Amino acid sequence: DNSTSRKFGGSGLGLTISKNLVELMGGKLQVSSIEHQGSHFWFELPIPASHKYHTDITQQVFAAKNLAGMKILLVEDNETNQVVAQGILEEAEILVDIANDGQEAVNKVRDNHYDLVLMDIRMPGMDGHEATRIIKATDKGKNLPIVAMTADVIPLHQGQQQSPMDAWLAKPIDTDLLFSTLR
C-alpha cells in the first residue's frame, strides 16, 4: 500500500533492518507468534558496564535541561514512536501533549498553547504537510515553530522546499540533534 494512510502496514523492511542492526551489535532478535493474536519481538544485546555510556546520557539530559517547562505537541500516529519521543522529551522536563493525526493536531493547536510542534509527515487522514499548512494559516499558528519528523529520507529533502515546516529531523531520533533543534 503506497498511500500515506498505511492502511495495510509497511513493506516489512523495518524488521529486516532491525535484525541486521541487532546482529551487527552482537545481539540476537527473537520472535514468538500466535496465529490470529499477534507477534512479540524482542532483542538482546551484550552491553558491557560502562561509566562512559552513563556519563554521555547524563550529559545529554543535562544539556537539555534548559528546555524544561517547554510545552510541545507531538504529532505521531505510531504508538511506539510516541512512547520513545515522549520519554526523551520528558527526561528533559519538557511537557508533551500528543496528537494521533493531522486533524487532531489542528484541533489541539486551536484549543491550546504550545511552544513548538513536532509533526510526523505520513499519517492516516490528514498528513503532516496539510496540517502544517492549516496551522500556519491561522493567527495563532503563523509564528508557531513546526518541526517535521520523518523516516523518509529522500522525501525529507524534497519536501523541505515545498512545505512551511520550520525545521526537519530524521527518524530514528538523534537526541543531540533533537535538543539542538528545539533550542
Side-chain angles (χ1 to χ4, degrees):
D1 179 15
N2 287 333
S3 72
T4 58
S5 70
R6 295 186 295 193
K7 182 177 176 184
F8 299 106
S11 64
L13 287 173
L15 183 57
T16 302
I17 293 168
S18 297
K19 179 181 179 290
N20 289 340
L21 287 173
V22 167
E23 288 175 354
L24 283 170
M25 292 185 284
K28 185 176 180 181
L29 180 70
Q30 299 177 7
V31 62
S32 67
S33 191
I34 300 173
E35 191 172 351
H36 303 295
Q37 289 187 11
S39 300
H40 179 96
F41 298 87
W42 71 95
F43 64 92
E44 297 173 1
L45 294 174
I47 300 177
S50 170
H51 179 71
K52 182 185 179 328
Y53 175 76
H54 184 284
T55 302
D56 290 347
I57 297 297
T58 304
Q59 288 173 347
Q60 288 176 358
V61 170
F62 181 76
K65 288 290 185 190
N66 63 349
L67 300 170
M70 182 180 208
K71 189 170 181 185
I72 289 180
L73 177 61
L74 171 64
V75 187
E76 172 64 62
D77 65 315
N78 181 289
E79 189 175 336
T80 301
N81 292 346
Q82 288 175 358
V83 170
V84 170
Q86 184 174 13
I88 291 169
L89 295 168
E90 287 179 349
E91 269 296 312
E93 299 177 13
I94 295 170
L95 305 171
V96 181
D97 196 4
I98 295 175
N100 295 295
D101 59 43
Q103 184 60 60
E104 190 177 344
V106 170
N107 295 342
K108 285 189 176 231
V109 168
R110 181 191 64 223
D111 297 337
N112 300 282
H113 166 77
Y114 298 103
D115 298 304
L116 184 135
V117 175
L118 289 173
M119 180 77 72
D120 188 15
I121 300 299
R122 290 187 176 218
M123 296 178 287
M126 184 185 297
D127 70 11
H129 292 295
E130 183 63 22
T132 299
R133 281 187 201 78
I134 292 170
I135 291 168
K136 290 286 191 177
T138 67
D139 285 338
K140 191 173 186 180
K142 66 183 173 190
N143 295 317
L144 178 64
I146 300 179
V147 178
M149 289 195 322
T150 183
D152 294 337
V153 179
I154 294 172
L156 180 128
H157 296 294
Q158 293 170 343
Q160 288 178 0
Q161 295 135 8
Q162 303 163 357
S163 177
M165 304 276 184
D166 296 293
W168 293 74
L169 294 171
K171 293 181 197 173
I173 298 170
D174 174 326
T175 54
D176 290 332
L177 186 57
L178 171 65
F179 290 138
S180 68
T181 301
L182 295 181
R183 276 192 281 292

